[in-house]
Amino acid sequence: MPALSPTMTAGNIGTWQKKAGDTIAPGDVLVEIETDKAQMDFEFQEDGVLAKILKEAGEKDVAVGNPIAVMVEEGADVAPFESFTLEDAGGEKAAPKEAPKEEAIESSEPPDSGSQTSPSTLDKSASKAEPRSEAPPESQEAESSGGRLQTSLDREPNASPLAKAMALDKGVPLKAIKGTGPNGRITKQDIEKYQAPVGSAPAASGATAAPSYEDIPASSMRKTIANRLVQSMNQNPHYFVSTTLSVTKLLKLRQALNTSADGEYKLSVNDFLVKACAVACKKVPVVNSSWREIGGQTVIRQHNTVDVSVAVATPVGLMTPIVRGVDSLGLQSISAQIKDLGKRARDGKLKPEEYQGGTFTISNMGMNAAVERFTAVINPPQAGILAVGTTRKVAIPAEGEDGTGVEWDDQIVVTGSFDHKVVDGAVGGEWIRELKKVVENPLELML
């Protein structure tokens, strides 16, 4: 089992792309492996032949370094390994106890980065806080079912919307029904034909039903996200600064640029805001900093370039791929990188260096018209994150020839979350002011 990320101690086996007897060349995808960050393709880097698979698809929590397959140089060497077992390969060791890991959402940091939230620092602080008089309780994990890895969509019963509504109304468990529709789809007729097992009493009409729920095992990525967010809230004293941005001029500039692009690019509002965050970070560099412990000394590391982590919702959780050197990039380049990184994040194809090491984060929920504003959790070891709400039209007074009238202005409410260990309140307010200035005068982004 290879280590596909700096903090990976164990992985889950996904789909094998090769079978016993197949020839493998450098760069060929051998197997899909689910790490603590994402599901990734493991590309083999040598010539050879796959002689035997020791860990089948769906095996969970396989420790790094444990044998998962046998490779040989020539096809003629495959036959002796037909009855080869894991025990013949030396057996397997148990995966290390799970420690707090870096998070896949918000740009994670590599170990020994000097931050209080880097994996090595957390291990040290945990050992210091551990009482000597009694052993710490051992964490207990739910036993693995040994089944094939599934996405949340795969676990959802394959049923028509009408069938789902009828099942909810009648209290019919969808997982107990075998669908007769195309591809096993559960239909209205299946719900109508369902009969409860003998001995189960039907719920009386109008009676209070017993609570109904389903326990869904937390994935490695979800547990990592949970650990990192709890650490961030416990260790970073958050404070929040909000403002309203007028984006009327920005929207007109965006429309003009997209019209003249001839299909070569299509800029989004988020592309402009990512660039604006970089401009504000260069003008108020304290925000583009991080709190770190290095060699027993506490330092605030101020970064010379602005690497913006962009929050992307994926089927398995939130990830934040990084657009590096945004302060020196143009809008077209920023837009192209965000689209490429976002697609690969949703496909689970990001490399660790593409989501580790950002200096500031932006989280935009503007595509959801119901979200006017929200606050975001800081992504350690960073010192700031910007939360962006939806665009809305607001009536504002305007002077006209006939006196005072009304004009419609496009506005966005943004909220900056800052780590008070690094960024004082007045400095956070100064950063918000610089952001507002450049967004409301968007031609400055072209300079």
Side-chain angles (χ1 to χ4, degrees):
M1 171 63 72
L4 299 182
S5 77
T7 58
M8 177 179 170
T9 57
N12 302 334
I13 303 292
T15 304
W16 284 93
Q17 301 298 327
K18 301 288 184 180
K19 61 182 183 297
D22 285 354
T23 301
I24 300 175
D28 285 355
V29 176
L30 180 62
V31 62
E32 295 176 0
I33 294 176
E34 183 187 1
T35 72
D36 56 345
K37 299 291 183 298
Q39 186 139 330
M40 305 175 68
D41 292 335
F42 172 47
E43 297 180 357
F44 203 66
Q45 299 302 321
E46 298 179 21
D47 289 307
V49 178
L50 179 59
K52 179 76 172 182
I53 293 175
L54 301 176
K55 288 289 187 178
E56 297 294 337
E59 292 277 358
K60 300 179 184 295
D61 297 326
V62 180
V64 169
N66 276 356
I68 61 173
V70 178
M71 304 297 301
V72 295
E73 293 183 354
E74 303 291 342
D77 300 330
V78 172
F81 289 94
E82 285 184 3
S83 58
F84 195 80
T85 65
L86 189 61
E87 286 68 29
D88 296 328
E92 60 179 327
K93 61 182 180 180
K97 301 280 183 172
E98 184 173 342
K101 307 168 191 169
E102 62 183 271
E103 184 191 346
I105 75 167
E106 325 303 359
S107 64
S108 303
E109 53 189 316
D112 300 317
S113 63
S115 165
Q116 284 191 320
T117 55
S118 67
S120 59
T121 308
L122 288 169
D123 290 342
K124 293 174 185 175
S125 61
S127 64
K128 289 180 182 177
E130 188 176 295
R132 298 183 181 179
S133 59
E134 54 183 277
E138 293 187 1
S139 61
Q140 295 184 347
E141 294 284 348
E143 290 187 3
S144 168
S145 66
R148 186 180 178 84
L149 295 179
Q150 292 181 311
T151 65
S152 58
L153 292 179
D154 291 334
R155 292 192 292 267
E156 182 74 18
N158 183 13
S160 68
L162 178 58
K164 289 182 180 180
M166 290 181 63
L168 182 63
D169 183 55
K170 296 186 176 185
V172 175
L174 286 174
K175 290 195 172 183
I177 299 177
K178 184 175 181 180
T180 59
N183 298 319
R185 189 177 181 86
I186 300 173
T187 64
K188 168 187 174 184
Q189 290 73 24
D190 296 325
I191 302 296
E192 292 174 340
K193 294 176 183 177
Y194 174 77
Q195 293 182 348
V198 177
S200 62
S205 177
T208 302
S212 175
Y213 58 86
E214 177 185 4
D215 289 332
I216 301 174
S219 66
S220 298
M221 184 174 180
R222 178 53 54 189
K223 287 187 281 188
T224 298
I225 290 172
N227 286 336
R228 288 290 286 177
L229 291 181
V230 170
Q231 292 159 17
S232 179
M233 292 302 294
N234 287 342
Q235 298 179 11
N236 301 320
H238 287 55
Y239 71 92
F240 310 98
V241 183
S242 297
T243 190
T244 299
L245 305 177
S246 171
V247 293
T248 300
K249 293 179 182 178
L250 187 149
L251 293 178
K252 289 179 180 178
L253 176 60
R254 169 178 174 260
Q255 183 180 15
L257 291 173
N258 285 341
T259 301
S260 63
D262 238 1
E264 187 177 348
Y265 57 82
K266 186 176 181 181
L267 303 176
S268 68
V269 173
N270 198 53
D271 299 333
F272 284 86
L273 293 177
V274 168
K275 180 65 176 179
C277 286
V279 171
C281 283
K282 291 299 286 185
K283 292 186 176 181
V284 187
V286 172
V287 175
N288 196 46
S289 304
S290 55
W291 181 274
R292 297 177 183 269
E293 299 282 344
I294 300 177
Q297 181 181 7
T298 302
V299 300
I300 295 176
R301 179 176 295 174
Q302 195 168 111
H303 303 279
N304 296 325
T305 60
V306 185
D307 301 331
V308 179
S309 306
V310 181
V312 176
T314 75
V316 293
L318 193 67
M319 296 191 73
T320 52
I322 303 164
V323 183
R324 300 191 182 274
V326 177
D327 50 308
S328 60
L329 295 178
L331 290 167
Q332 181 179 352
S333 178
I334 293 171
S335 180
Q337 289 193 45
I338 290 176
K339 288 181 175 66
D340 172 60
L341 291 167
K343 181 180 185 303
R344 289 193 289 117
R346 286 183 284 271
D347 294 341
K349 303 296 183 183
L350 287 179
K351 300 175 183 177
E353 60 267 23
E354 292 176 319
Y355 54 76
Q356 293 178 351
T359 63
F360 187 84
T361 298
I362 182 170
S363 180
N364 191 339
M365 294 181 68
M367 69 295 297
N368 186 337
V371 180
E372 180 180 294
R373 71 182 72 198
F374 70 104
T375 56
V377 180
I378 294 171
N379 168 23
Q382 298 174 11
I385 181 172
L386 185 71
V388 182
T390 194
T391 306
R392 56 197 178 96
K393 288 190 175 294
V394 178
I396 59 173
E399 293 292 337
E401 295 180 359
D402 301 330
T404 303
V406 171
E407 289 183 353
W408 291 98
D409 186 35
D410 293 291
Q411 297 182 355
I412 294 177
V413 177
V414 298
T415 302
S417 306
F418 300 101
D419 180 358
H420 220 316
K421 299 196 309 292
V422 180
V423 184
D424 288 335
V427 178
E430 180 66 19
W431 187 90
I432 287 288
R433 182 169 66 180
E434 291 294 341
L435 177 77
K436 182 178 178 70
K437 176 184 174 184
V438 72
V439 169
E440 295 185 349
N441 297 280
L443 287 176
E444 291 189 18
L445 296 172
M446 315 295 289
L447 299 177

